[in-house]
Amino acid sequence: MSAPKTRSREQAYRHDLRGYQTGFFLAALLTIIPFALVASGTFSTIATMWVIGVLGLVQIVVHVRYFLHVDLSRQRREELYLMLFSAALVTLMIAGMLWMLFNQHTRMM
């Protein structure tokens, strides 16, 4: 996290440290919850997979915000656009690969 110019070095250090601590706590929590869900077996398999998927997406946001320091501010907007474009490309590649594999599977059956 970038500190404004008006902060002293000590205040900027504390601000950054607090951000890293918050990110670490959230990331650990978002990791522990899926393990607990799988270990307890309280939900059905489909529900557990959906919860894990949603928590995984939330964890991506936490990592981008607290560890990569990309937020919605004007200074960081170009980095956010670059990440969203990269995510769109990866999604298209994975979707195309899955479509091709399922198409080949149906042709071979």
Side-chain angles (χ1 to χ4, degrees), residues 23-79:
F24 176 74
F25 174 75
L26 289 173
L29 184 68
L30 291 169
T31 302
I32 291 170
I33 290 172
F35 276 107
L37 285 176
V38 171
S40 68
T42 54
F43 295 125
S44 67
T45 304
I46 298 296
T48 303
M49 289 175 65
W50 274 103
V51 170
I52 290 172
V54 169
L55 291 177
L57 291 175
V58 172
Q59 190 158 25
I60 288 172
V61 172
V62 166
H63 280 258
V64 168
R65 169 69 174 89
Y66 289 103
F67 299 122
L68 296 179
H69 308 292
V70 176
D71 53 11
L72 297 177
S73 66
R74 283 184 169 250
Q75 294 86 10
R76 305 286 182 170
R77 197 160 289 169
E78 289 182 10
E79 294 172 1

Side-chain angles (χ1 to χ4, degrees), residues 2 8 17 37 54 58 63 73 80-81 84-85 93 102 109:
S2 63
S8 70
L17 184 63
L37 285 176
V54 169
V58 172
H63 280 258
S73 66
L80 181 64
Y81 290 153
L84 290 175
F85 181 71
M93 289 182 350
F102 284 122
M109 293 292 164

